Amino acid sequence: MKNILVLMAHPKLEHSKVIARLMASINGLENIEITDLYERYPDFNIDVQHEQEMLISADIVILMHPLYWYSAPPLMKQWIDLVLEYNWAYGHKGIYLKGKYLFNAISTGGSIDAYSTKGHHGFPIKEFLLPFKQTARLCNMVYLPPFHIAGTHNITSKKLQQEINDFKALILHLRDNPNYYKLEQLPFLNDFKQ
């Protein structure tokens, strides 16, 4: 059974209708550790040693957040800047994340069509996530496709519940099955079907 660490960053979680439910759907599951970064570090004073110890224990790391100005909320960026240190996460002596898996679980108000070359935002959503993919590569991690819930401003309750059910099924699969090759080939982890 794999250990999964979920790093969740949402500056206004009380207003969230997607990220909060995604988090709640897996809260309390065995071998799933969830860190609410804004709850733990409201002053942005990150305990680097503690976070590195959490990473060492994890096999899979999930960056869960809404897309804010085409990136992660600022506390998640600060977490990356401080915790993934040279010669710990990368560099000649940076071996502690080697072989671990990383992916983004994100929500966007805009639809999947809005995140396309012909859409309002001009680029596919995966292009906005390239800094995370490259961060994983630099740290010798395996970057999996993102789990993306799009169009949250207009999503129906039925569609949202289906996405949440799919996310929970994905997390259980990741935790209980060691072979992720097929997942690496998917366009999005939303496409995973058991």
Side-chain angles (χ1 to χ4, degrees), residues 57-74:
S57 301
D59 300 298
I60 301 164
V61 179
I62 302 172
L63 304 178
M64 179 185 287
H65 59 92
L67 199 68
Y68 262 46
W69 286 103
Y70 309 115
S71 187

Side-chain angles (χ1 to χ4, degrees), residues 46-192:
I46 294 172
D47 182 343
V48 171
Q49 183 176 347
H50 171 77
E51 295 302 318
Q52 289 179 344
E53 289 170 1
M54 297 293 287
L55 284 171
I56 288 172
S57 301
D59 300 298
I60 301 164
V61 179
I62 302 172
L63 304 178
M64 179 185 287
H65 59 92
L67 199 68
Y68 262 46
W69 286 103
Y70 309 115
S71 187
L75 184 52
M76 181 163 283
K77 178 66 168 73
Q78 174 136 331
W79 184 96
I80 291 170
D81 291 346
L82 297 179
V83 176
L84 304 184
E85 293 180 314
Y86 177 71
N87 274 342
W88 187 87
Y90 68 100
H92 296 298
K93 297 177 184 174
I95 59 170
Y96 294 98
L97 300 179
K98 185 176 182 179
K100 296 179 185 286
Y101 290 83
L102 177 82
F103 71 93
N104 294 84
I106 62 168
S107 65
T108 59
S111 68
I112 197 71
D113 290 337
Y115 286 94
S116 67
T117 55
K118 294 182 179 177
H120 180 71
H121 300 292
F123 297 93
I125 191 69
K126 284 185 172 181
E127 294 200 26
F128 294 109
L129 299 176
L130 283 175
F132 301 100
K133 183 176 184 177
Q134 180 55 27
T135 298
R137 271 192 189 163
L138 185 66
C139 297
N140 292 306
M141 302 176 82
V142 179
Y143 186 77
L144 294 173
F147 187 92
H148 176 205
I149 299 181
T152 60
H153 296 312
N154 299 313
I155 196 167
T156 65
S157 296
K158 182 178 179 181
K159 173 69 174 165
L160 178 56
Q161 188 57 54
Q162 184 59 54
E163 295 278 14
I164 289 167
N165 293 344
D166 290 348
F167 180 73
K168 184 176 180 181
L170 169 70
I171 296 302
L172 292 173
H173 176 81
L174 287 167
R175 184 192 70 179
D176 299 336
N177 296 281
N179 188 348
Y180 304 140
Y181 177 75
K182 288 183 179 178
L183 295 176
E184 294 175 42
Q185 311 309 312
L186 295 173
F188 290 90
L189 290 180
N190 307 60
D191 299 317
F192 165 75

